[in-house]
């Protein structure tokens, strides 16, 4: 287990316990979430080490690895996914300022986004820590991701775009990853980081039952302020913040299950909609956000 005596983002010692959340996916154990009073990041305390955390991903319900369609929530996820893949593709093309280029998708899962970019004419590279997910990527899309450790073997200045779709919150070597990513970007390259946002309305509603805490797999729980702090330490700057409107509904549906044991679809949809209304015009309050990042 890793016990932090200082903030994993800014190293401040002004940290305190905030709440306790349950791992509903695998272990059913409780984990403590702490808050940094300096940069405002939250982090899961006493998390398994990188070598030990693999067991907490060992579930057929973990959709990014299994690509499962089991249950109504996962079925709805797949229904929406095609639209979000196109939206991500268009965002990358627009912000990178090119219709084709070289892209690295870190934590590419079963390869759906890589396939989307390959069909758009991009030169693709993918990294994925889970061997099962890498196998599925080859089977489903004929793409061959490499193990995540290969990140540090890639050539500097290679990629016009680097994407991390709900990945950074899983990375043990947080600062080492960000430092390496900065070197891999071309001078005008763009980094896209999508993460849950604990300052959202749905997080406020569900509190310790908020599914996007996803302990212990989510090591960190970012606010926009904490993300800017992290980037500034590595010669990167936040250019734009973009909303992920569908995430509030998906997270609320899971959160209702965690809170009640059975779920309430209508209530989840209402709370997801309420969260988006609160974030309308204030994207930094969206349930999940995409940070578009440039070199300083």
């Amino acid at each position: 287990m890793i016990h932090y005596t200082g903030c994993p983002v800014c190293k401040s010692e002004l940290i305190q316990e905030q709440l306790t959340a349950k791992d509903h996916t695998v272990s059913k154990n409780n984990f403590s979430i702490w808050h940094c009073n300096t940069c405002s990041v939250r982090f899961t305390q006493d998390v398994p080490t990188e070598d030990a955390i693999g067991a907490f991903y060992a579930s057929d319900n973990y959709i990014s690895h299994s690509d499962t369609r089991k249950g109504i929530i996962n079925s709805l996820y797949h229904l929406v996914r095609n639209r979000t893949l196109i939206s991500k593709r268009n965002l990358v093309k627009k912000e990178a300022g090119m219709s084709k280029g070289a892209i690295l998708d870190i934590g590419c899962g079963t390869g759906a986004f890589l396939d989307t970019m390959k069909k758009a004419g991009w030169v693709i590279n993918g990294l994925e820590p889970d061997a099962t997910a890498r196998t599925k990527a080859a089977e489903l899309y004929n793409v061959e991701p490499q193990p995540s450790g290969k990140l540090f073997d890639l050539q500097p200045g290679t990629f016009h775009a680097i994407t991390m779709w709900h990945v950074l919150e899983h990375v043990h070597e947080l600062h080492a990853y960000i430092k390496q990513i900065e070197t891999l970007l071309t001078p005008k390259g763009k980094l896209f980081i999508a993460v849950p946002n604990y300052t959202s309305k749905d997080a406020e509603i569900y509190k310790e039952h908020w599914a996007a805490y996803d302990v212990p797999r989510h090591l960190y729980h970012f606010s926009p302020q904490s993300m800017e702090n992290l980037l500034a330490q590595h010669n990167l700057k936040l250019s734009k913040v973009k909303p992920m409107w569908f995430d509030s509904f998906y997270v609320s549906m899971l959160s209702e299950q965690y809170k009640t044991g059975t779920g309430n679809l209508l209530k989840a949809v209402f709370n997801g909609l309420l969260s988006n209304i609160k974030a309308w015009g204030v994207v930094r309050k969206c349930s999940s956000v995409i940070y578009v990042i440039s070199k300083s």
Side-chain angles (χ1 to χ4, degrees), residues 81-98:
R81 187 175 69 170
N82 287 339
R83 180 171 177 179
T84 60
L85 288 172
I86 297 303
S87 176
K88 290 174 182 177
R89 180 200 67 189
N90 292 341
L91 177 65
V92 169
K93 290 170 66 175
K94 179 181 178 181
E95 296 300 330
M98 57 182 63

Side-chain angles (χ1 to χ4, degrees), residues 2-196:
I2 300 170
H3 184 85
Y4 295 101
T5 57
C7 172
V9 169
C10 73
K11 310 305 180 187
S12 170
E13 295 182 359
L14 298 177
I15 58 176
Q16 64 186 48
E17 188 172 11
Q18 185 72 29
L19 55 93
T20 299
K22 182 178 180 179
D23 171 16
H24 291 270
T25 304
V26 178
S27 70
K28 313 305 179 186
N29 292 338
N30 291 323
F31 290 85
S32 178
I33 295 175
W34 286 47
H35 180 87
C36 175
N37 291 313
T38 300
C39 74
S40 81
V41 78
R42 291 181 179 177
F43 54 92
T44 308
Q45 187 65 280
D46 297 322
V47 293
T49 61
E50 188 171 6
D51 291 338
I53 203 166
F56 291 88
Y57 288 88
S59 170
D60 289 340
N61 293 323
Y62 202 71
I63 193 168
S64 66
H65 288 179
S66 67
D67 212 43
T68 180
R69 296 176 184 265
K70 181 180 178 181
I72 186 172
I73 295 177
N74 289 330
S75 296
L76 289 171
Y77 171 88
H78 279 280
L79 189 65
V80 171
R81 187 175 69 170
N82 287 339
R83 180 171 177 179
T84 60
L85 288 172
I86 297 303
S87 176
K88 290 174 182 177
R89 180 200 67 189
N90 292 341
L91 177 65
V92 169
K93 290 170 66 175
K94 179 181 178 181
E95 296 300 330
M98 57 182 63
S99 59
K100 297 179 183 179
I103 186 168
L104 172 65
D105 188 23
I106 301 175
C108 63
T110 56
F113 180 68
L114 282 178
D115 181 61
T116 300
M117 297 308 293
K118 180 174 67 172
K119 289 176 178 175
W122 284 62
V123 176
I124 61 167
N125 284 268
L127 300 175
E128 169 56 45
D130 185 72
T132 300
R134 295 198 300 270
T135 299
K136 281 190 173 291
E139 293 173 353
L140 293 171
Y141 303 109
N142 195 30
V143 298
E144 297 183 357
Q146 299 179 76
S148 294
K150 295 293 185 180
L151 175 72
F152 299 95
D153 297 331
L154 298 173
Q155 291 298 312
T158 303
F159 299 102
H160 303 102
I162 297 177
T163 54
M164 301 182 79
W165 307 118
H166 288 287
V167 170
L168 188 63
E169 62 269 35
H170 298 265
V171 173
H172 280 77
E173 300 176 78
L174 180 64
H175 288 278
Y177 260 62
I178 296 296
K179 181 179 179 180
Q180 175 67 358
I181 286 168
E182 192 274 337
T183 68
L184 295 178
L185 285 170
T186 62
K188 294 185 178 180
K190 300 290 184 181
L191 169 62
F192 301 81
I193 296 177
V195 288

Side-chain angles (χ1 to χ4, degrees), residues 124-262:
I124 61 167
N125 284 268
L127 300 175
E128 169 56 45
D130 185 72
T132 300
R134 295 198 300 270
T135 299
K136 281 190 173 291
E139 293 173 353
L140 293 171
Y141 303 109
N142 195 30
V143 298
E144 297 183 357
Q146 299 179 76
S148 294
K150 295 293 185 180
L151 175 72
F152 299 95
D153 297 331
L154 298 173
Q155 291 298 312
T158 303
F159 299 102
H160 303 102
I162 297 177
T163 54
M164 301 182 79
W165 307 118
H166 288 287
V167 170
L168 188 63
E169 62 269 35
H170 298 265
V171 173
H172 280 77
E173 300 176 78
L174 180 64
H175 288 278
Y177 260 62
I178 296 296
K179 181 179 179 180
Q180 175 67 358
I181 286 168
E182 192 274 337
T183 68
L184 295 178
L185 285 170
T186 62
K188 294 185 178 180
K190 300 290 184 181
L191 169 62
F192 301 81
I193 296 177
V195 288
N197 176 17
Y198 80 79
T199 71
S200 64
K201 183 63 178 179
D202 50 298
E204 178 186 329
I205 292 169
Y206 289 109
K207 299 180 173 63
E208 71 271 17
H209 303 292
W210 190 51
Y213 280 128
D214 197 23
V215 293
R217 290 160 294 278
H218 287 191
L219 310 178
Y220 325 101
H221 316 283
F222 290 101
S223 64
Q225 177 188 341
S226 61
M227 182 61 71
E228 287 189 275
N229 185 299
L230 173 63
L231 297 173
Q233 295 178 57
H234 296 283
N235 197 36
L236 293 167
K237 63 180 180 181
L238 180 60
S239 300
K240 294 180 182 178
V241 179
K242 308 294 287 186
M244 301 187 79
W245 298 118
F246 289 115
D247 280 36
S248 64
F249 298 106
Y250 179 69
V251 169
S252 293
M253 284 188 284
L254 283 175
S255 301
E256 278 295 324
Q257 281 194 352
Y258 296 168
K259 184 177 181 179
T260 66
T262 57

